[in-house]
Amino acid sequence: MPHPQDKTPVEKLPTGISSFDVIARGGLPKTRTTLISGTAGSGKTIFAVQFLASGILDANESGVFVTFEESGSDIRQNMRSFGWDLQAWEQAGRLALVDASPDPDIEVIESGAFDLGALLARIEHAVRKVNSKRVSVDSLGAIFSQFSDQSVVRRELFRIASALKRMGVTAVLTAERTADYGPVARFGVEEFIADNVMILRNVLEGETRRRTIEILKFRGTDHQKGEYPFTIVPERGLVVIPLSAMQLRQKSSNVRISSGNAEVDAMCGGGFFRDSIILVSGATGTGKTLTVTQFLQGGAAAGERCLLLAFEESREQLFRNATGWGFDFEKMEREGMLRVICDYPEVASLEDWLISIQGIVADFKPQRIAVDSLSALERVGTMKGFREFVIGLTSFIKHQEVTGLFTSTTPTLMGGASITETHISTLTDSIILLRYVEMFGEMKRGLTVLKMRGSAHDKDIREFTIDRNGMHVGRRFRNTTGVLAGTPVHVSPSDLERVWSHYDAEPGQTRRPPGARRSTDPRE
């Protein structure tokens, strides 16, 4: 006789690590065991303690921490940097710490049958003592590495998992692995014993360490697939960056704001949209930082707080340059309209920078953000990591309904066809190209609005100059072709006449190419 199927969904327990709960679709499966496997330095112990700390602080749930490796005193001391006072929680009856770490003065010799019965009794007593709902065990490898019989390891692991399930707790078990992309765990059996398996990685990519988290399996329930970057932050602990949660649901405003330059505003159809992301791309010296300076000045003039994140120039240099163009950044700063953050991008990982920027924005609450430049940040990580950073940053800025202006340096002096080497241009709403144009032994500068989502804009490539009063946009380049390709060529009026004559000769064609007209300017 067939048994009726249990259609009750697997209940999940929010871990309190909100960014992780997003990719776990609600948290860890309740009253089940979750194996967290990772190499050295990947954050296993921090996750295990944070799981308990979040339960105590946010859910009023007591916890039990079992340590097989580090001593209890070391655990208490190490976790203080995250603001977790384990000793105070123990004294308040909110946390029980079971110290099963080895005594360095006692040599352990494998002899006869091994039994974890006494240790499990200690864990069960601790669970009852504080009425615990959460248990973390760190780490399995520390106790089983001294035994050579794999059948013993499998049997005792199964016994631990069964005992924890019988206690009715949600448990986290940590285990070591020998490589970031090798076997799941050291003994090859841990992942089959646990109900759920997660992998933490700390991969060396181009001389930079990058941490990621992956949920390998959740029995009976759904979760996000793939690796997600995370970082470890003082006073906060482990913070996951769930790119999957960054959905395209941002609001779109029709309100225009000034770029800080009336001529650029006119080329953009009346200015930038309030919650848009603008990319200014150009070679070194073409005027990208000046464009940023005007953008910030325009915001302060409109009563908007502005944030500048500078990764290539010092604060003093930026302020000196602004003064040279007639803008007083010091006054803006004194009035609380401007905050400037300057540092080398190499001082932190891209994930750390993203979390740091989010914290600065939450504290200062700017209406405009400028990043000068993205190209400097690109040096910190891999292409994939950099693109994930830009996705996270643009999504965050848009959700805050803040206007963002980013600069990017093209790899060649004359620009060429590439806007950005990492193809982030598709993530932006507007693109302004600044280009050098060589004309008869003289270097000129050209500006064009390549893209303006949701708005008509000027299609011309206009010459601009820079003086002590800033940027001045002039007339378009005429009788010149190949500017955007990085190979500008001057076309004489006689050559244009021959081209127009060709158009005139074609039946059914207009008498002039679209936008073309004879010039009466003798200089052209």
Side-chain angles (χ1 to χ4, degrees), residues 6-257:
D6 185 3
K7 296 184 179 181
T8 305
V10 176
E11 185 179 357
K12 289 189 175 179
L13 176 70
T15 62
I17 310 171
S18 58
S19 53
F20 167 77
D21 289 343
V22 171
I23 65 172
R25 298 193 187 277
L28 296 179
K30 198 171 183 179
T31 68
R32 295 189 176 187
T33 57
T34 299
L35 176 71
I36 300 179
S37 183
T39 53
S42 56
K44 302 182 297 298
T45 302
I46 294 173
F47 189 103
V49 176
Q50 190 171 355
F51 171 64
L52 301 180
S54 298
I56 293 170
L57 296 173
D58 303 327
N60 195 30
E61 294 179 348
S62 299
V64 172
F65 186 81
V66 184
T67 174
F68 286 137
E69 193 163 19
E70 295 183 79
S71 66
S73 58
D74 287 344
I75 291 290
R76 295 183 187 97
Q77 183 177 9
N78 294 340
M79 294 303 122
R80 287 196 186 102
S81 62
F82 299 104
W84 305 327
D85 193 338
L86 305 190
Q87 188 171 2
W89 294 338
E90 290 177 82
Q91 294 171 352
R94 308 300 309 282
L95 175 70
L97 198 152
V98 178
D99 190 346
S101 59
D103 188 334
D105 297 327
I106 299 177
E107 182 180 1
V108 178
I109 301 176
E110 182 179 0
S111 176
F114 177 73
D115 193 344
L116 278 176
L119 178 61
L120 291 176
R122 289 178 62 189
I123 297 174
E124 187 168 3
H125 173 73
V127 167
R128 291 178 178 176
K129 180 181 177 181
V130 298
N131 191 26
S132 175
K133 301 298 181 185
R134 304 184 182 208
V135 173
S136 290
V137 179
D138 182 54
S139 73
L140 297 177
I143 188 170
F144 291 121
S145 60
Q146 54 193 312
F147 299 100
S148 57
D149 190 344
Q150 193 176 52
S151 63
V152 172
V153 175
R154 185 182 184 98
R155 184 189 70 229
E156 295 303 323
L157 280 173
F158 183 79
R159 188 176 180 184
I160 292 174
S162 299
L164 292 170
K165 185 173 293 188
R166 188 170 59 251
M167 296 176 201
V169 298
T170 305
V172 167
L173 315 177
T174 71
E176 298 87 359
R177 59 193 314 221
T178 56
D180 285 302
Y181 291 97
V184 172
R186 179 183 299 181
F187 300 104
V189 297
E190 297 92 326
E191 64 267 34
F192 303 107
I193 301 300
D195 297 306
N196 318 299
V197 177
M198 292 167 23
I199 296 176
L200 304 185
R201 295 185 174 94
N202 188 25
V203 182
L204 180 63
E205 297 178 339
E207 301 182 1
T208 301
R209 289 284 177 183
R210 183 170 186 263
R211 290 186 172 100
T212 61
I213 185 170
E214 178 186 6
I215 300 176
L216 189 62
K217 73 169 182 178
F218 271 4
R219 280 180 180 162
T221 185
D222 194 17
H223 59 86
Q224 296 280 7
K225 312 301 189 295
E227 293 184 68
Y228 295 87
F230 75 91
T231 186
I232 297 173
V233 182
E235 301 297 330
R236 290 184 62 183
L238 189 144
V239 180
V240 181
I241 302 172
L243 298 178
S244 60
M246 299 171 186
Q247 301 173 357
L248 296 175
R249 296 179 180 175
Q250 303 94 338
K251 296 180 180 179
S252 294
S253 173
N254 291 321
V255 177
R256 299 270 190 170
I257 65 169

Side-chain angles (χ1 to χ4, degrees), residues 131-414:
N131 191 26
S132 175
K133 301 298 181 185
R134 304 184 182 208
V135 173
S136 290
V137 179
D138 182 54
S139 73
L140 297 177
I143 188 170
F144 291 121
S145 60
Q146 54 193 312
F147 299 100
S148 57
D149 190 344
Q150 193 176 52
S151 63
V152 172
V153 175
R154 185 182 184 98
R155 184 189 70 229
E156 295 303 323
L157 280 173
F158 183 79
R159 188 176 180 184
I160 292 174
S162 299
L164 292 170
K165 185 173 293 188
R166 188 170 59 251
M167 296 176 201
V169 298
T170 305
V172 167
L173 315 177
T174 71
E176 298 87 359
R177 59 193 314 221
T178 56
D180 285 302
Y181 291 97
V184 172
R186 179 183 299 181
F187 300 104
V189 297
E190 297 92 326
E191 64 267 34
F192 303 107
I193 301 300
D195 297 306
N196 318 299
V197 177
M198 292 167 23
I199 296 176
L200 304 185
R201 295 185 174 94
N202 188 25
V203 182
L204 180 63
E205 297 178 339
E207 301 182 1
T208 301
R209 289 284 177 183
R210 183 170 186 263
R211 290 186 172 100
T212 61
I213 185 170
E214 178 186 6
I215 300 176
L216 189 62
K217 73 169 182 178
F218 271 4
R219 280 180 180 162
T221 185
D222 194 17
H223 59 86
Q224 296 280 7
K225 312 301 189 295
E227 293 184 68
Y228 295 87
F230 75 91
T231 186
I232 297 173
V233 182
E235 301 297 330
R236 290 184 62 183
L238 189 144
V239 180
V240 181
I241 302 172
L243 298 178
S244 60
M246 299 171 186
Q247 301 173 357
L248 296 175
R249 296 179 180 175
Q250 303 94 338
K251 296 180 180 179
S252 294
S253 173
N254 291 321
V255 177
R256 299 270 190 170
I257 65 169
S258 174
S259 66
N261 185 302
E263 295 155 331
V264 174
D265 290 345
M267 293 187 68
C268 293
F272 302 144
F273 287 120
R274 174 178 290 169
D275 50 6
S276 62
I277 302 295
I278 303 99
L279 177 67
V280 179
S281 174
T284 179
T286 50
K288 299 185 297 299
T289 301
L290 172 56
T291 306
V292 167
T293 303
Q294 292 181 147
F295 175 72
L296 299 175
Q297 172 65 28
E304 300 176 343
R305 285 188 298 276
C306 302
L307 173 64
L308 171 58
L309 304 167
F311 298 103
E312 292 184 326
E313 297 181 81
S314 67
R315 180 181 180 277
E316 288 72 19
Q317 189 173 2
L318 290 167
F319 279 49
R320 182 203 65 190
N321 295 343
T323 301
W325 292 316
F327 305 127
D328 193 343
F329 272 12
E330 288 188 1
K331 180 182 178 182
M332 292 166 57
E333 199 173 45
R334 287 195 306 269
E335 294 174 349
M337 303 306 296
L338 174 67
R339 179 176 294 184
V340 179
I341 307 295
C342 298
D343 217 331
Y344 284 113
E346 286 83 1
V347 302
S349 68
L350 290 174
E351 293 78 21
D352 289 332
W353 272 120
L354 180 58
I355 299 301
S356 177
I357 292 170
Q358 290 175 346
I360 294 169
V361 171
D363 175 62
F364 186 57
K365 296 179 174 57
Q367 284 82 45
R368 297 190 182 201
I369 298 175
V371 179
D372 187 28
S373 72
L374 286 180
S375 302
L377 286 164
E378 191 175 354
R379 302 195 303 261
V380 178
T382 63
M383 183 180 295
K384 180 176 183 293
F386 177 69
R387 182 174 174 83
E388 289 176 348
F389 165 82
V390 175
I391 292 173
L393 182 59
T394 55
S395 176
F396 173 74
I397 289 176
K398 281 178 169 290
H399 276 98
Q400 300 297 314
E401 299 183 46
V402 173
T403 311
L405 187 144
F406 304 156
T407 68
S408 177
T409 303
T410 54
T412 59
L413 186 64
M414 301 300 290

